[in-house]
Amino acid sequence: MTPVTEVMTALKLTDRINRIEPSATMAVVAEADKLRQQGIDVVDFGAGEPHFATPQHIKDAAIAAIQSNFTKYTAVGGTTDLRDAIAMRHGQDFDSNYRREEVVASVGGKHALFNAIQVLVDHGDEVILTVPYWVSFKDIVRYAGGNCVLLEADENQSFRVTAEMIERLVTPRTKLIILNSPSNPSGAVMSPEDMEAVVRLAHERGIWVISDECYVYLNYTGRLFSVGGLRDFRERTVIVGSLSKTYAMTGWRLGYALAPASVVSALQKLQSQSTSNPTSIVQKAAVAALTGPQQCVADMRAEYIRLRDHVVNGLRSIPGLRCTRPEGAFYAYPNISAYFGKDGIKSASDLAGRLLREAHVATVPGEGFGTPDHIRVSYATSVKELDRGLERMRKFLASL
Ligand SMILES: Cc1ncc(COP(=O)(O)O)c(C=O)c1O
């Protein structure tokens, strides 16, 4: 038993809180912060957030909201302006036709996802999840009492998942399939054809699909795609979206779900008993983000592509590292297993821990994402920082 688990058992906390672990990515951020507080210069490849500042017109809208005293409670699921703006943006960009009643705004995409899983998954239900998965999927499903059925993506196929692979895991107990394209941590992008096939299959078998599209605009294949645009299959689909990555707004906490009205009303009911509305000021900023100029999104995407190419070339030039080429999000996911057995390193956690403590480069070990042979390298930073970090990694790995 870990000390934390022992304390929890002693305090007789609930079964459900003991079923989950703290977020692995948050743990890295905390450890890197501790080193920084000691004055150590850490190169941060751990953070899952854009390095860009929030665009000025979005900040201005928040300031104006404060000045005009838009500081009271709003409707639980967001103002009508905001819900209309979310539906409008999605409709324009992905050819969907969601109505206001099919939109709920939440305190970040994670909040929308958490609520959606609580609303859709019961004890004993099976939830199909692709490995590597974003850390929170597994724990949120467990919190709801569901069982994760894991689908290993093939690294030799750049971690791409097909509808056929998912279909093989469907059983009579399957309640939900979670898609995440582009993926955190692998950056893999499913083809629109495969996504459509999954949604069609789910529709036919009465299975729910949650499509986590928090990185939907950070897709580098040239084909932006949301399953929300598949108008004929909407009744079994929940889209989870977020402004965090798209508009460099991670700290503002604004996400949303697009779903059938009955699901949205259940999501609002749950939200009404916990957080209530997302911050009123942030809602005004979000309307400005969604209805204002979109060039900032395209500019950031172009820069991420440049950074992606830079980091993948750098990682591939380090002896022993294998790295697939991510097609979206802002993470590279190199395979570091060639270093296992060297200087006592047995796992990705060992390697990431020593990389942080000895070379002062923060990365996230793959165990939290379900693959123990990898580390996640966030390339949402400057080329200069990438070069500094890559050089430190190269030296450290060569010293093993
Ligand atoms: C796959 C995925 N989904 C959802 C989120 C949640 O983002 P937020 O709560 O900031 O909207 C993240 C954040 O890292 C993510 O990587």
Side-chain angles (χ1 to χ4, degrees):
M1 257 196 227
T2 65
V4 172
T5 322
E6 270 170 27
V7 171
M8 284 184 168
T9 310
L11 291 174
K12 288 201 185 357
L13 300 182
T14 59
D15 282 348
R16 62 183 179 279
I17 195 65
N18 286 324
R19 282 199 292 267
I20 65 173
E21 302 284 336
S23 163
T25 44
M26 301 286 182
V28 173
V29 172
E31 205 177 336
D33 272 352
K34 240 193 241 163
L35 291 179
R36 260 191 228 105
Q37 277 159 21
Q38 294 163 25
I40 294 170
D41 160 38
V42 175
V43 175
D44 193 358
F45 292 163
E49 61 182 344
H51 58 307
F52 298 108
T54 305
Q56 190 60 44
H57 65 284
I58 302 174
K59 295 196 274 197
D60 289 343
I63 292 163
I66 296 173
Q67 298 295 11
S68 64
N69 297 316
F70 192 75
T71 51
K72 311 280 194 214
Y73 291 133
T74 72
V76 167
T79 62
T80 53
D81 278 359
L82 175 58
R83 284 185 290 147
D84 288 350
I86 292 169
M88 177 283 298
R89 181 83 274 136
H90 204 271
Q92 276 194 16
D93 294 343
F94 303 108
D95 195 32
S96 62
N97 60 348
Y98 287 98
R99 292 172 293 121
R100 185 186 291 165
E101 302 70 37
E102 297 168 313
V103 182
V104 55
S106 301
V107 187
K110 193 185 260 187
H111 185 213
L113 179 79
F114 183 90
N115 287 353
I117 291 174
Q118 302 312 312
V119 160
L120 298 179
V121 175
D122 261 326
H123 272 271
D125 285 342
E126 290 181 1
V127 178
I128 298 178
L129 207 56
T130 304
V131 182
Y133 43 73
W134 177 50
V135 276
S136 294
F137 292 143
K138 179 175 58 65
D139 290 286
I140 299 176
V141 168
R142 284 192 181 159
Y143 194 73
N147 297 325
C148 295
V149 175
L150 301 179
L151 167 60
E152 301 276 342
D154 183 354
E155 186 170 8
N156 295 320
Q157 302 296 321
S158 299
F159 296 110
R160 243 175 254 120
V161 177
T162 65
E164 269 175 20
M165 289 162 75
I166 290 180
E167 185 165 15
R168 273 184 240 132
L169 293 186
V170 171
T171 76
R173 296 203 67 99
T174 306
K175 185 69 170 291
L176 171 68
I177 299 167
I178 300 181
L179 301 179
N180 176 216
S181 172
S183 148
N184 175 5
S186 73
V189 171
M190 280 180 82
S191 73
E193 293 73 22
D194 272 313
M195 289 186 89
E196 175 162 356
V198 173
V199 170
R200 187 186 292 270
L201 159 94
H203 193 263
E204 285 164 7
R205 310 253 186 118
I207 298 168
W208 289 99
V209 173
I210 292 181
S211 184
D212 179 333
E213 301 187 358
C214 288
Y215 296 91
V216 76
Y217 290 94
L218 304 186
N219 174 329
Y220 313 135
T221 64
R223 279 172 92 189
L224 294 192
F225 179 79
S226 163
V227 295
L230 303 169
R231 299 181 181 198
D232 294 342
F233 303 113
R234 272 191 11 195
E235 72 199 48
R236 285 270 160 198
T237 307
V238 178
I239 308 292
V240 170
S242 171
L243 274 63
S244 287
K245 324 284 172 165
T246 312
Y247 299 100
M249 291 178 70
T250 44
W252 298 69
R253 313 306 303 132
L254 203 293
Y256 55 86
L258 303 170
S262 57
V263 175
V264 162
S265 100
L267 293 173
Q268 286 186 348
K269 178 166 70 167
L270 180 54
Q271 195 160 302
S272 77
Q273 300 298 2
S274 55
T275 58
S276 294
N277 60 275
T279 307
S280 59
I281 300 151
V282 172
Q283 292 191 52
K284 286 279 192 192
V287 171
L290 294 161
T291 60
Q294 299 300 300
Q295 189 56 39
C296 54
V297 179
D299 290 347
M300 288 191 265
R301 181 166 52 235
E303 179 62 7
Y304 288 130
I305 292 174
R306 193 169 82 93
L307 295 167
R308 184 267 315 258
D309 292 343
H310 194 80
V311 80
V312 168
N313 289 340
L315 288 167
R316 284 179 177 173
S317 73
I318 297 176
L321 288 194
R322 278 192 288 133
C323 187
T324 56
R325 188 178 145 89
E327 292 184 305
F330 39 63
Y331 310 104
Y333 204 52
N335 185 314
I336 42 82
S337 59
Y339 289 91
F340 292 172
K342 293 194 179 179
D343 204 16
I345 288 183
K346 291 197 274 311
S347 64
S349 288
D350 283 350
L351 190 128
R354 287 192 50 190
L355 199 55
L356 179 58
R357 287 186 296 275
E358 297 173 32
H360 304 147
V361 178
T363 59
V364 184
E367 284 94 337
F369 306 107
T371 67
D373 290 350
H374 302 83
I375 56 173
R376 192 189 74 176
V377 174
S378 168
Y379 57 83
T381 185
S382 64
V383 167
K384 193 166 154 228
E385 276 302 278
L386 284 181
D387 284 341
R388 272 187 351 117
L390 286 166
E391 203 38 47
R392 289 183 186 188
M393 284 175 76
R394 186 189 312 279
K395 277 204 190 120
F396 169 75
L397 292 172
S399 74
L400 293 176

